[in-house]
Amino acid sequence: AAGGLLLAVVTVVALVLLRWRRPRTLVAAATAGALLVVVPTRFVTPGWPAAGWAVVACDVGQGDALALATGEPGRALLVDAGPDPGPVRSCLDRLGVRRVPLVVLSHLHADHIGGLSALLDGRSVGAVAVGPLREPAWAFERVRSLAHRAGVPVVSLRHGQRLRWPGLTVDVLGPRRTPGPQLDENDGSQVNDASLVLRAETPAGRVLLTGDVELAGQADLLRAGVDLRADVLKLPHHGSRYTSPEFLAAVRPRIALVSVGAGNRYRHPNDAVLARLHAAGATVLRTDLRGDLAVLPQLRIAARGSPRPPP
């Protein structure tokens, strides 16, 4: 109501002033100046990699791989590794990331761990982190085998932990609970809901990384009263329909990153989820449309602009 009243007042004043030539000139000059100053700070195309990037959603097809700058040259935390080695290797090469102090695997589905071998081969990795759920069993054994071969430890993360680097702080928010022995590893939703959920404080603001957490996992976070507010949201499960309006309302992102493959058979991202984000005023960016996506300080955005073709 207050915004509407203010808009009405400004409109009336503008109509009165525009009746005279000199105010018209001043208004035109002010508008042009505002456009020159404001528009470039929202979406920039400075080449790749974008200088000063804080978080990058790598275009790895139908999967996740997100790099977060640690504030140290050539170093970044990586959350998930995509479905294949090639795309994540190329993304980090383009970013100039030579050292990865920690690779976090949000959960053990193939589209999040498939590129792990590329990170452990020819790049310095401090550790590989997994959540409390070690299912599917074959996937955990593969992660452990690759890490052992590379001489890299496998560590566990649980909610309540905090990780720090010079320019990055990461809090582990979830999962709040882990499925018991009755877990059916063929039930993808149960594994998805056990995804690690991370909140990162970066120079670009607060970033929420959600893995593939679905309705039950989202509800657990909401019931626990977890502070989910974030400037940037990595949309859960590639923008699937299993994202609740209550969860999106609790996050209230200004930017939503969708890591998704072109022409995927799951019809990700879901139109209704995207519509809710747009209605709330969020800027939605998709790797299948813009390629690698970077968020910079002041929530400026850069895109590499060369998305991977459909499989």
Side-chain angles (χ1 to χ4, degrees), residues 82-151:
D84 302 297
V88 67
R89 178 190 293 116
S90 297
C91 179
L92 294 185
D93 286 346
R94 288 191 293 267
L95 294 174
V97 173
R98 300 179 302 277
R99 295 190 173 189
V100 181
L102 185 65
V103 178
V104 178
L105 301 176
S106 65
H107 61 298
L108 298 176
H109 278 160
D111 56 332
H112 294 252
I113 70 167
L116 180 61
S117 60
L119 305 175
L120 298 172
D121 181 17
R123 211 175 304 266
S124 174
V125 175
V128 175
V130 297
L133 182 64
R134 306 298 174 83
E135 300 289 345
W138 69 265
F140 179 66
E141 286 304 315
R142 174 167 175 74
V143 168
R144 189 163 61 175
S145 173
L146 287 171
H148 177 75
R149 201 180 318 161

Side-chain angles (χ1 to χ4, degrees), residues 1-15:
L5 180 60
L6 178 61
L7 177 61
V9 172
V10 170
T11 302
V12 171
V13 172
L15 290 174

Side-chain angles (χ1 to χ4, degrees), residues 5-48:
L5 180 60
L6 178 61
L7 177 61
V9 172
V10 170
T11 302
V12 171
V13 172
L15 290 174
V16 171
L17 290 177
L18 290 176
R19 295 177 63 186
W20 290 280
R21 182 177 177 182
R22 186 166 182 176
R24 278 204 306 269
T25 304
L26 292 173
V27 170
T31 302
L35 289 173
L36 287 173
V37 171
V38 174
V39 172
T41 64
R42 185 58 180 159
F43 204 109
V44 295
T45 54
W48 199 263

